[in-house]
Amino acid sequence: IVSAAGGVGRSTLTASLATLLTQRKIAVLALDFDPQNLLSTLLGSDEISLGGLLPDFLTKKEFGKSALINSNEVACLPFGRANEASLATFEQHLRTESEWLKKCIAQIDYPPGAFLIMDTPRLPSPYARQAMVAADLVLAVLAPDTRSLALMPAVEAALARCAPGRQPIYVMNGLDSTRTLQSDLLAQFRSVLQMRLSPYPIHRDEAVPRAVANYANLQGLSPDSLVAHDLN
């Protein structure tokens, strides 16, 4: 899950999709490939994880062994906490080994039909590039604003470099359909992207920040909300 603009809801979308798939009895690993290290919190943890992917890399621990399972049975591999020097070392490794993440993921023993959903920082970043190289599907998140429209070519260019010939699926997140400008922008995105834009925009809904603030599952807290309907 990627975007070229910040603040469009990549992490929240990752957590929501992972939870929904788990509720449908599909095995899921949510991978936090973002140094902000917030995904486990969005999945209901009341504290930021110290352990995770980066500390495991530094200590040469087997990839994936620090995954956590929350009360909703969603498995999450946190990024983990590290200092600037450790981050610099890791990022240099990612730039040198362009398929590092892809190779690590290939070693995971998944049950049949399992999903791996990856959260990333906004483009350009070595993390998003690694994720796009490893992914079977790239979901690019858009906000209903001119910034996302202007930055859309950056997503296309990044994917062309990482996975030539592959196209992302775009999804609009945080749509307020009562605002004419946002509805007009959605129509413009549909005109440009056509079948590459998901027909299901995710609407802006106060249920999302309420769920985050309460460390709660959105579907459990507000099952009848508009955003729950969109995500389903």
Side-chain angles (χ1 to χ4, degrees):
I1 296 181
V2 303
S3 78
V8 298
R10 291 181 309 276
S11 300
T12 304
L13 184 58
T14 302
S16 297
L17 291 176
T19 301
L20 273 174
L21 287 165
T22 301
Q23 288 177 341
R24 296 180 184 193
K25 307 304 179 185
I26 297 170
V28 178
L29 174 60
L31 192 158
D32 190 354
F33 207 49
D34 184 340
Q36 289 191 82
N37 192 35
L38 295 176
L39 188 58
S40 60
T41 304
L42 293 173
L43 283 166
S45 174
D46 58 0
E47 58 184 41
I48 295 177
S49 176
L50 298 178
L53 180 153
L54 179 56
D56 289 355
F57 168 80
L58 296 171
T59 58
K60 302 187 183 326
K61 187 175 178 180
E62 185 179 347
F63 184 86
K65 288 299 184 181
S66 292
L68 309 172
I69 299 178
N70 72 4
S71 59
N72 294 309
E73 299 185 349
V74 181
C76 173
L77 179 59
F79 186 85
R81 187 177 294 176
N83 56 37
E84 288 188 21
S86 297
L87 273 177
T89 298
F90 185 51
E91 289 176 6
Q92 182 57 42
H93 178 75
L94 297 181
R95 293 186 179 96
T96 304
E97 298 287 339
S98 62
E99 295 192 355
W100 176 81
L101 182 61
K102 182 177 182 178
K103 292 174 181 176
C104 290
I105 289 171
Q107 297 170 10
I108 299 175
D109 185 19
Y110 292 105
F115 276 73
L116 171 69
I117 304 181
M118 291 182 278
D119 186 24
T120 64
R122 67 180 178 89
L123 291 161
S125 80
Y127 303 98
R129 287 195 295 272
Q130 286 269 340
M132 287 191 291
V133 168
D136 296 311
L137 173 67
V138 175
L139 190 67
V141 187
L142 302 167
D145 56 29
T146 54
R147 179 187 53 157
S148 282
L149 186 63
L151 290 172
M152 201 163 57
V155 176
E156 303 276 336
L159 190 57
R161 288 192 299 271
C162 298
R166 192 185 307 170
Q167 291 186 326
I169 297 296
Y170 289 88
V171 61
M172 178 71 68
N173 193 33
L175 177 69
D176 184 348
S177 55
T178 65
R179 298 180 64 178
T180 303
L181 177 59
Q182 292 194 12
S183 296
D184 290 346
L185 280 166
L186 177 58
Q188 192 171 352
F189 277 114
R190 282 178 173 153
S191 175
V192 171
L193 295 169
Q194 298 184 18
M195 295 296 292
R196 292 193 294 146
L197 178 64
S198 168
Y200 306 106
I202 300 170
H203 288 82
R204 184 179 182 275
D205 195 318
E206 289 305 311
V208 174
R210 187 164 62 248
V212 172
N214 287 280
Y215 304 104
N217 168 16
L218 173 65
Q219 307 300 319
L221 189 67
S222 303
D224 298 322
S225 63
L226 180 58
V227 69
H229 172 270
D230 295 338
L231 288 164
N232 272 294

